[in-house]
Amino acid sequence: MESSTEQARNVMQSPRSPPSSHPYLSASVTDPVKLGNGVQAYISYRVITKTNLPEYHQGPEKIVIRRYSDFVWLRDRLFEKYKGVFIPPLPEKSAVEKFRFSAEFIEMRRAALDIFVNRIASHPELQQSEDLRTFLQADEETMERFRFQETGLFNKKPADFMQMFRDVQSKVSDAVLGKEKPVEETTPEYEKLKHYIFELENHLAEAQKHAYRLVKRHRELGQSLLDFGKAVKLLGACEGEPTGKLFSDLGTKSELVSMKLQKEAQQVLMNFEEPLKDYVRYVQSIKATIAERGAAFKQHCELAETTKLKEINLDKLMLTRSDKVGEAEIEYREIKAESEEATMRFERIVKRMNEEIVRFQEQKTEEMGVAFHQFAKGQARLANGIADAWRALLPKLEAASV
């Protein structure tokens, strides 16, 4: 059976073919098609699911049509329901209209959506989600109905929790404003986690920035060599033999090297820059989960404090034999139950995050290892290809210069 990372990184257009002897669940996001016109235009995708899990009642293979907003629906539902789990990130929307439907952008998004779905499908907890089954099996009309019947419960997006995280992390003392100081978790393990995530985000973003520059450099150099090759060929057309033939050969080699550079630029983009960008988004998703943990901790502390105050008030009323004891007892029991639930909720988040960070680090090590290996192999292939191309031309140039 494929490992979770192999499933996530396999972005081939053909559906996966998992073994039938073990439980499996995999999906392929394929065949992007533009539908509609103008501002109403969007891209639809075929999502092909293969599974032998008994929860999937519609057979071992199911094909549905989905659009980007359906993937957003799935992400938001999982984020709301699975507190403490690192929900895989989605590719961002293109902010520039002219790039929204470019072939390159569509393919990058398709591949990223494929990774998103398979990370969920390979996650031991998320793969059991009822919402995932809906996403993978419901017909288009049902899916649209689910998408539009959302209530306020699921209106809050991860971006809102990112703001919450910034609020929780604010170092401005509320005491200066005459307010109570924010309640924050300060355990060494939590501080270590936050430090790791912030540092990782910075380093990944820096690496991705330089990968982008490398892609740009390859493309610019490739275009320059292409233009140079055309110019040299035109120059050769004005010359007689053997100079004209020599110029023509030089132009042809320049165009060949240009093609190698352009091809490698695309490979670096898809196999190196995009994985780095994907992990920047992943870290941002983890930060949203950290924000949720901060909110849960705050609620846990506030309810615990309120419970103590209610208990003290109840004791006083019992000592004075007040007629309000019955009402106070009910309030105390209610707030105590609510406090205990908040404590368990916070502890579940902590437990999940401890498991998730180990899983995330293992996955990151494997996937980044693949990306760096492909990058190094591609650069070696490019260097050898360029050297071979120019080396083949040297004898002719040397003969002409004698």
Side-chain angles (χ1 to χ4, degrees), residues 47-106:
V47 179
I48 307 172
T49 303
K50 288 180 175 290
T51 184
N52 62 358
L53 298 181
E55 303 93 317
Y56 288 77
H57 311 298
Q58 300 185 24
E61 180 172 310
K62 176 70 176 178
I63 301 176
V64 296
I65 304 299
R66 295 291 179 259
R67 56 187 296 181
Y68 181 77
S69 54
D70 296 324
F71 291 86
V72 173
W73 174 87
L74 176 61
R75 189 271 315 275
D76 290 349
R77 297 280 293 194
L78 295 176
F79 185 86
E80 184 64 33
K81 291 184 177 182
Y82 291 86
K83 304 297 186 184
V85 173
F86 297 164
I87 306 301
L90 282 170
E92 67 275 6
K93 284 192 171 185
S94 175
V96 183
E97 180 66 24
K98 68 178 181 179
F99 294 136
R100 277 182 64 205
F101 301 112
S102 68
E104 182 176 274
F105 176 78
I106 290 173

Side-chain angles (χ1 to χ4, degrees), residues 209-269:
K209 179 178 71 176
H210 290 292
Y212 167 78
R213 290 177 177 173
L214 184 59
V215 171
K216 184 179 179 182
R217 176 179 174 273
H218 279 349
R219 285 177 168 171
E220 289 176 345
L221 181 56
Q223 185 60 50
S224 295
L225 279 168
L226 180 63
D227 295 340
F228 172 73
K230 291 177 180 178
V232 171
K233 280 185 171 181
L234 291 173
L235 180 61
C238 299
E239 300 287 340
E241 296 294 342
T243 305
K245 180 65 167 61
L246 190 63
F247 283 173
S248 178
D249 290 344
L250 179 59
T252 299
K253 290 297 181 183
S254 296
E255 291 172 346
L256 175 63
V257 172
S258 170
M259 290 173 59
K260 292 180 180 296
L261 283 162
Q262 296 289 3
K263 182 178 179 180
E264 184 57 30
Q266 187 65 19
Q267 291 296 316
V268 172
L269 173 66

Side-chain angles (χ1 to χ4, degrees), residues 128-341:
Q128 302 173 35
S129 164
E130 181 181 343
D131 294 313
L132 176 62
R133 291 198 294 274
T134 297
F135 176 85
L136 294 176
Q137 291 193 309
D139 59 51
E140 289 72 61
E141 184 178 340
T142 302
M143 188 71 240
E144 185 175 11
R145 189 165 62 250
F146 270 106
R147 216 172 58 238
F148 282 101
Q149 72 182 12
E150 297 303 283
T151 63
L153 178 63
F154 296 108
N155 283 343
K156 185 172 283 189
K157 303 297 189 293
D160 299 321
F161 294 110
M162 290 303 301
Q163 182 59 47
M164 183 199 306
F165 183 78
R166 287 189 285 269
D167 293 340
V168 170
Q169 291 302 109
S170 174
K171 300 302 180 181
V172 179
S173 174
D174 282 355
V176 175
L177 303 176
K179 299 179 181 179
E180 185 180 356
K181 188 176 180 180
V183 179
E184 296 181 27
E185 187 181 355
T186 57
T187 62
E189 293 80 8
Y190 182 60
E191 292 298 325
K192 182 179 179 181
L193 171 63
K194 289 194 297 183
H195 177 75
Y196 168 72
I197 292 301
F198 273 100
E199 287 294 300
L200 181 61
E201 181 182 28
N202 291 335
H203 296 321
L204 284 169
E206 186 70 12
Q208 188 266 322
K209 179 178 71 176
H210 290 292
Y212 167 78
R213 290 177 177 173
L214 184 59
V215 171
K216 184 179 179 182
R217 176 179 174 273
H218 279 349
R219 285 177 168 171
E220 289 176 345
L221 181 56
Q223 185 60 50
S224 295
L225 279 168
L226 180 63
D227 295 340
F228 172 73
K230 291 177 180 178
V232 171
K233 280 185 171 181
L234 291 173
L235 180 61
C238 299
E239 300 287 340
E241 296 294 342
T243 305
K245 180 65 167 61
L246 190 63
F247 283 173
S248 178
D249 290 344
L250 179 59
T252 299
K253 290 297 181 183
S254 296
E255 291 172 346
L256 175 63
V257 172
S258 170
M259 290 173 59
K260 292 180 180 296
L261 283 162
Q262 296 289 3
K263 182 178 179 180
E264 184 57 30
Q266 187 65 19
Q267 291 296 316
V268 172
L269 173 66
M270 297 300 296
N271 298 327
F272 191 59
E273 184 193 351
E274 276 301 304
L276 287 169
K277 189 185 295 184
D278 169 61
Y279 265 92
V280 171
R281 294 191 295 260
Y282 216 144
V283 170
Q284 290 169 348
S285 179
I286 293 173
K287 287 171 67 177
T289 304
I290 291 175
E292 282 284 87
R293 174 171 170 168
F297 178 77
K298 181 180 179 182
Q299 185 181 42
H300 150 70
C301 292
E302 289 176 346
L303 286 171
E305 183 63 26
T306 302
T307 301
K308 288 180 182 178
L309 294 175
K310 292 288 184 182
E311 184 178 15
I312 292 171
N313 181 57
L314 177 60
D315 289 342
K316 288 181 180 179
L317 292 174
M318 292 178 69
L319 287 173
T320 60
R321 299 181 183 276
S322 171
D323 57 359
K324 295 182 178 180
V325 169
E327 181 182 344
E329 284 181 334
I330 294 174
E331 290 181 357
Y332 171 69
R333 285 197 298 269
E334 289 177 348
I335 198 67
K336 184 179 180 182
E338 192 176 345
S339 176
E340 289 172 350
E341 175 58 32

